[in-house]
């Protein structure tokens, strides 16, 4: 399946690019916000860690249950309730890397039928797992751009 091979490559590249950029951030810029209403690089990293944990659970549900409910989480409450200001950035990066590498390994062994598995949520109804994987790929790329901008503007 050509599309899956390309998606696997893009997924891995997006992971590697985000991890490399995050590790290159100078310590004095990690917790600086470009402006009062924007996330610091550390908050972006914690958000990606929490998002990837949520994506991972949704992937596993789709692979092991028949069209499971996989609703999204409320990202607005996470920074305060999960104390982003007190979290260890290195641990969040390790989590991102572990989750994405683990799912990359799972995806690498998908059968044709597994690429067709579906979940559902209140916003879009039923959707194929490939749509969720593409969403994850785009999400981390978008936040890589946000991370680079935050570092450049802080």
């Amino acid at each position: 399946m050509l599309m899956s091979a390309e998606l696997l490559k893009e997924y891995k590249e997006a992971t590697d690019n985000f991890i490399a950029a995050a590790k290159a951030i100078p310590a004095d810029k990690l917790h600086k916000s470009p402006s009062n209403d924007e996330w610091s690089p550390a908050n972006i990293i914690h958000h990606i860690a929490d998002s990837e944990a949520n994506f991972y659970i949704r992937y596993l549900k789709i692979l092991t249950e028949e069209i499971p409910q996989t609703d999204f989480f409320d990202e607005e409450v996470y920074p305060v309730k999960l104390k982003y200001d007190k979290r260890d950035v290195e641990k969040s990066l390790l989590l991102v890397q572990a989750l994405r590498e683990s799912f990359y390994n799972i995806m690498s062994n998908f059968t044709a039928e597994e690429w067709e598995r579906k979940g559902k949520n209140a916003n879009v109804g039923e959707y194929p797992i490939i749509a969720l994987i593409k969403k994850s790929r785009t999400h981390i790329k978008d936040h890589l751009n946000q991370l680079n901008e935050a570092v450049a503007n802080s």
Side-chain angles (χ1 to χ4, degrees), residues 45-153:
I45 293 165
H46 298 315
H47 167 73
I48 289 295
D50 294 339
S51 296
E52 289 302 324
N54 275 281
F55 276 119
Y56 194 81
I57 294 298
R58 287 183 268 173
Y59 298 143
L60 297 183
K61 287 177 68 101
I62 290 170
L63 291 169
T64 61
E65 300 173 22
E66 280 308 310
I67 312 180
Q69 192 71 28
T70 60
D71 289 323
F72 300 113
F73 68 101
D74 183 356
E75 69 180 41
E76 298 301 318
V77 301
Y78 274 47
V80 173
K81 293 197 178 221
L82 299 179
K83 300 173 180 60
Y84 279 13
D85 60 327
K86 297 183 183 337
R87 285 176 55 183
D88 184 324
V89 170
E90 188 174 320
K91 299 289 188 242
S92 287
L93 275 177
L94 288 171
L95 181 60
V96 171
Q97 189 164 15
L99 289 168
R100 287 187 65 95
E101 287 178 3
S102 177
F103 189 64
Y104 178 85
N105 183 257
I106 292 169
M107 265 194 307
S108 297
N109 295 295
F110 271 10
T111 63
E113 293 79 28
E114 287 167 325
W115 282 108
E116 301 298 322
R117 295 209 40 105
K118 293 182 179 183
K120 65 181 174 187
N121 72 43
N123 295 333
V124 297
E126 285 188 19
Y127 63 90
I129 194 169
I130 199 163
L132 186 61
I133 296 165
K134 287 178 179 180
K135 182 176 177 65
S136 167
R137 177 203 55 198
T138 302
H139 184 253
I140 201 168
K141 283 181 175 182
D142 289 347
H143 283 296
L144 172 59
N145 292 335
Q146 182 188 20
L147 187 69
N148 289 333
E149 288 174 20
V151 171
N153 296 325

Side-chain angles (χ1 to χ4, degrees), residues 15-44:
T15 303
D16 294 345
N17 292 341
F18 185 86
I19 297 295
K23 285 182 175 180
I25 298 169
D28 65 325
K29 290 195 171 206
L30 262 178
H31 298 282
K32 288 186 179 174
S33 295
S35 70
N36 287 340
D37 62 339
E38 294 183 40
W39 283 352
S40 69
N43 279 21
I44 296 166

